[in-house]
Amino acid sequence: MSAVKPATIEDVALIAGVSIATVSRALNEPGKVADSTRRKVIEAVAQTGYTTNAMARNLRTRRSHMILILAPDVGDPNFSNILVGLETEASKRGYGVLIGNTQNDPVRETDYLRFISSNQADGIILLTGHLPFGLAESQPGARLPPMVAINEPIPNSDIPFVGVDNVEGARVATDHLISQGHREIAFIGQSPGRAVAQLRERGFRTALAAAGISVQPSFILEADGTTESGRAAAERMFVRDRLPTAFFCVNDATALGVLIALTARGYALPYEFSVMGFDDISFASFVTPSLTTMKQPRLKIGEASMDLLLEMLEGEKPARREILLRSELILRNSVAVWRPR
């Protein structure tokens, strides 16, 4: 019995009703082909079982058409929609993605760099807030792979950054609390080692200064962005003689911890205390009271950062090394007009 003849690109072109050149473009440069045409080609590929010799092409071009994404925690509620944006934009341009869940482990980060050194990935998207440890230890002047940082800018580097304008977003959030009559406002989430926390604290301080409100040092509390750290920070506040009327939290996870602490103490929220978050992750609308927060355009962040990285891979010099998108104030039930007790 004779072997089945492998499908050819000519077979795909015949079934799709397009030229061989169009099939090639649809598979190798999908962004240059109309969506309807690309769908016909993909359906014909599936029908015939045609496979491209991607390995041979990669050896010729030394390009894998894969992007490595390094994230400290793929379970982070912020990650999923950013990933959708990253993957959607990559797919349009004929690229795939590899996800490295680093768990903030230097060994894991260094291990994932094998995809770069072995030409299995062409560039890196960083959600970690720092250079991968294996690259950070490189000799000065070493040639780094193309990289773009998301959410957390990389300190002391010229790596392009895509995220929200954290200073402006925090200023808007704090202005909202002030507009509701609050003057005693705590900031939960000070973290000298995290750029995002520093930027949001700066926006908080800017809004207070513009309103003629003095910053109370005792109202600035450290937290690492987790729910437990938010709960613990709120508990530390209650050993002090002076209490705020509102809490601006560095992110929604921290705000959840503050809500838990206040609820456990029996306070009626938001009438006795108001709580403001930042990010608008999925649970924000389901907690009680539902969380007033600043929404990050995560899909757009993912798309813009992938587009920027692919421009760099194609040899283009980025027009901007920093793309700051606007966050949106989402009004829910955790902030109320302040009525003196």
Side-chain angles (χ1 to χ4, degrees):
M1 189 173 180
S2 61
V4 177
K5 181 182 177 183
T8 66
I9 193 170
E10 289 84 358
D11 298 328
V12 175
L14 180 64
I15 291 175
V18 298
S19 68
I20 293 173
T22 297
V23 172
S24 179
R25 280 195 300 273
L27 296 176
N28 299 316
E29 299 176 285
K32 296 182 179 181
V33 178
D35 288 345
S36 58
T37 301
R38 180 155 49 93
R39 280 196 298 271
K40 286 193 292 186
V41 171
I42 296 302
E43 289 170 0
V45 167
Q47 184 176 340
T48 61
Y50 172 72
T51 57
T52 60
N53 193 346
M55 184 175 290
R57 184 178 68 247
N58 292 346
L59 288 172
R60 289 195 308 271
T61 64
R62 298 188 65 81
R63 295 279 290 276
S64 68
H65 285 80
M66 298 295 290
I67 302 299
L68 175 62
I69 301 170
L70 293 181
D73 179 9
V74 296
D76 185 327
N78 277 308
F79 180 68
S80 58
N81 279 341
I82 288 176
L83 176 60
V84 171
L86 288 167
E87 197 279 330
T88 298
E89 188 62 27
S91 179
K92 287 180 183 177
R93 308 273 285 273
Y95 282 76
V97 299
L98 300 167
I99 301 173
N101 185 24
T102 70
Q103 299 177 12
N104 291 311
D105 181 346
V107 175
R108 291 175 69 91
E109 285 194 12
T110 303
D111 189 46
Y112 281 124
L113 295 181
R114 72 185 187 277
F115 290 111
I116 295 293
S117 60
S118 62
N119 293 321
Q120 295 179 72
D122 301 327
I124 305 176
I125 296 286
L126 296 170
L127 286 87
T128 56
H130 59 255
L131 274 174
F133 287 98
L135 294 179
E137 297 166 0
S138 299
Q139 294 296 322
R143 187 172 181 272
L144 300 178
M147 290 183 282
V148 171
I150 296 179
N151 284 351
E152 294 263 3
I154 309 300
N156 305 314
S157 80
D158 62 353
I159 294 174
F161 169 69
V162 180
V164 294
D165 188 333
N166 287 291
V167 174
E168 175 63 10
R171 185 196 65 76
V172 169
T174 308
D175 276 348
H176 177 63
L177 292 173
I178 294 170
S179 75
Q180 300 305 296
H182 295 279
R183 295 295 181 271
E184 306 277 292
I185 307 172
F187 177 78
I188 311 295
Q190 186 179 57
S191 179
R194 291 190 63 217
V196 163
Q198 294 171 20
L199 293 169
R200 291 178 186 176
E201 183 180 345
R202 186 192 308 170
F204 167 77
R205 290 175 177 270
T206 298
L208 292 185
I213 301 172
S214 299
V215 175
Q216 301 296 324
S218 63
F219 286 176
I220 308 294
L221 280 79
E222 289 192 10
D224 64 9
T226 62
T227 296
E228 173 55 27
S229 72
R231 186 202 63 77
E235 289 294 338
R236 292 198 304 274
M237 182 69 70
F238 281 97
V239 303
R240 302 177 183 182
D241 294 333
R242 187 176 180 182
L243 294 176
T245 65
F247 295 82
F248 173 44
C249 302
V250 72
N251 62 13
D252 289 347
T254 301
L256 176 59
V258 172
L259 289 174
I260 289 170
L262 296 175
T263 301
R265 284 176 171 266
Y267 288 106
L269 305 179
Y271 307 106
E272 293 184 87
F273 294 99
S274 288
V275 180
M276 166 75 73
F278 201 114
D279 288 339
D280 194 32
I281 60 179
S282 56
F283 78 75
S285 61
F286 299 112
V287 296
T288 302
S290 56
L291 189 62
T292 295
T293 186
M294 300 299 298
K295 181 182 181 66
Q296 289 204 55
R298 287 183 283 273
L299 280 174
K300 291 182 179 179
I301 289 172
E303 291 169 349
S305 56
M306 183 60 73
D307 182 62
L308 180 58
L309 181 61
L310 296 185
E311 284 182 9
M312 295 165 61
L313 287 172
E314 291 165 4
E316 299 180 28
K317 186 175 181 180
R320 293 185 292 168
R321 301 201 73 83
E322 183 177 68
I323 299 175
L324 298 181
L325 304 177
R326 185 180 295 276
S327 52
E328 177 188 359
L329 176 62
I330 303 297
L331 299 176
R332 295 196 180 100
N333 300 321
S334 65
V335 174
V337 173
W338 170 241
R339 310 283 185 195
R341 296 184 181 96

